[in-house]
Amino acid sequence: MINIAVFASGRGSNFAAIAQAVRKGDLKVKLALLVCDNPKAPVLVKARKAGVKTVLVNRADFPGKQEFEGAIIGHLSENNIDLIVLAGYMRLLSADFVKIYYGRIINIHPSLLPAFKGEAGIRDAFEYGAKITGVTVHFVDDQVDHGPIILQQEVSIKEKDTLVTLEEKIHKVEHRIYPEAIRLFGLGRLKIEGRKVRIINRKVLQR
Ligand code: GAR
């Protein structure tokens, strides 16, 4: 069974969905660590309640990014982490960090990448008047919300949708497809081939 570390900075609904999938036995990985960079993040409370080992690595406590990421790397090595799962981790990983873990870091983003990157993917699609948006899970490279795409699922934006109803629809999809992507990684089914990901022996996912 692989060891995963979730990185989160805020609310932690994706962390909670992953923790629940693990607890229910739907996702056979060890949720070994939560790495959080924000002392005020609600995800810290969620992790405590779920009994998940947590480290708070506050950027303000380090002179530079290199030292900050060095501390994180120490925690990852100590806990034998096989996969880093970014779940609302609102900080760009350095090229050096990505070089060490490339192919073992995944991210979720609430749009159909490459559209609507950044911190407000749901709002940006809504305000743009897009009719279709969605969710993307991808391997991480050193650019923001960028790297080989693992899973994508579309979400339609209807006339009657508000930003709130759209957010609900997006999060519901996120909470389903992120555990699925982790499951596929754990089974060794994801192969990066250049800019693309091939999913080996993929059974039909749609429920
Ligand atoms: C999620 O919607 C995730 O897709 C997004 O942050 C949210 C975190 O929510 N990530 C990005 O926008 C990355 N650019 P959560 O803390 O409730 O899981």
Side-chain angles (χ1 to χ4, degrees), residues 84-105:
I84 297 167
V85 176
L86 306 185
Y89 182 69
M90 294 307 189
R91 203 174 275 281
L92 184 64
L93 298 169
S94 72
D96 286 341
F97 185 99
V98 172
K99 208 179 281 169
I100 298 171
Y101 293 102
Y102 185 74
R104 294 182 287 149
I105 317 174

Side-chain angles (χ1 to χ4, degrees), residues 10-15 87-88 90 107-110 118-119 145 171 174:
R11 187 173 65 141
S13 71
N14 280 284
F15 167 82
M90 294 307 189
N107 180 43
I108 192 159
H109 183 73
E119 286 185 11
D145 298 325
H171 292 312
E174 288 190 323

